[in-house]
Amino acid sequence: MNHIAAFLLVLCDEDEEEAFYFFLSILFATDYCGLIVNDLLKLNSFFYCFERLLNIMFPEMNSYLKNINVNGGYFLSPWFITLFTNAFNNEDGKDNLKIMVKIFDLFLLSGWKAIFKIGISLIKNNSIKIFSLPYEKLVHYLNNEMIHSDFFKNDNYKELINISLNFKISNNLINNLRKEFEMKTNILN
């Protein structure tokens, strides 16, 4: 959560009280706290949903990742837990303020589906690189380097947002996938 807090502090011109209340609003309005309680059940359901959505929208990538045994848990945690604010500072030490503001706008406007859409967009845009990397380098790339790719920099924020908006993901679809995850989890237990 420190990534989110740091971003909000910058966004609020270092007004700590305003950033604090903004952060509280995010926690309550989006059930953010649900990600990190109850044995990470919500986070795990998001992993499941993401993989299912990836299978629907980009089946070649989903098959490729499954074939080399790379599951969403390897790289999705920081995306959901930090709401992509772990990309706020790029490798050059420059702030990606424009793109982070757009991501937060989408998140606050449409909820968690915005994070799913941006994640799938990020994978789709980096697919050539993902398909070319061997397993060892791929896991590192997905965890660390992809979030700092050129696609995720201020200059490209319009492209990222446009690609994200083109994915037809509804909150209803995500809720149905979460219910599917819950049923599978209950059956296994």
Side-chain angles (χ1 to χ4, degrees):
M1 292 190 293
N2 59 336
H3 289 281
I4 298 170
F7 168 70
L8 293 176
L9 198 55
V10 170
L11 192 62
C12 296
D13 292 326
E14 299 192 24
D15 182 335
E16 293 176 9
E17 186 176 356
E18 185 178 351
F20 173 75
Y21 286 112
F22 192 179
F23 192 51
L24 278 181
S25 298
I26 290 170
L27 293 178
F28 291 116
T30 64
D31 187 31
Y32 177 88
C33 293
L35 285 181
I36 52 178
V37 296
N38 298 332
D39 298 328
L40 305 174
L41 189 62
K42 183 174 184 175
L43 185 61
N44 284 316
S45 75
F46 280 178
F47 295 166
Y48 178 82
C49 292
F50 188 91
E51 290 174 357
R52 293 277 285 122
L53 291 168
L54 189 62
N55 188 45
I56 293 166
M57 299 183 179
F58 197 9
E60 305 85 24
M61 180 61 72
N62 188 63
S63 294
Y64 176 73
L65 293 175
K66 282 192 184 288
N67 287 339
I68 62 171
N69 294 318
V70 173
N71 67 48
Y74 289 177
F75 59 93
L76 292 173
S77 289
W79 297 2
F80 284 105
I81 292 174
T82 72
L83 304 174
F84 288 107
T85 56
N86 58 332
F88 180 51
N89 287 313
N90 64 23
E91 295 168 341
D92 303 326
K94 296 178 184 170
D95 293 339
N96 292 330
L97 188 60
K98 285 181 189 174
I99 200 160
M100 293 312 308
V101 168
K102 292 295 182 187
I103 289 171
F104 262 71
D105 281 349
L106 287 172
F107 178 65
L108 294 173
L109 181 64
S110 48
W112 289 104
K113 74 178 178 180
I115 304 302
F116 286 102
K117 287 180 172 188
I118 291 163
I120 291 171
S121 300
L122 192 57
I123 286 182
K124 192 157 184 86
N125 191 268
N126 287 281
S127 62
I128 294 171
K129 179 92 173 184
I130 292 170
F131 283 129
S132 71
L133 292 172
Y135 176 82
E136 308 80 34
K137 291 183 179 180
L138 176 60
V139 172
H140 178 75
Y141 180 75
L142 291 169
N143 272 315
N144 302 303
E145 296 171 34
M146 188 168 64
I147 199 75
H148 297 290
S149 68
D150 288 339
F151 182 57
F152 216 80
K153 294 193 175 158
N154 273 335
D155 301 340
N156 301 321
Y157 76 92
K158 289 180 183 174
E159 181 183 358
L160 173 69
I161 301 308
N162 286 336
I163 292 171
S164 298
L165 292 174
N166 285 328
F167 288 122
K168 303 299 179 209
I169 298 173
S170 67
N171 287 324
N172 193 34
L173 175 59
I174 292 171
N175 289 335
N176 287 338
L177 291 173
R178 288 189 68 204
K179 287 177 187 173
E180 186 179 295
F181 170 80
E182 289 170 14
M183 286 192 308
K184 286 184 176 194
T185 304
N186 288 337
I187 290 170
L188 291 175
N189 288 336

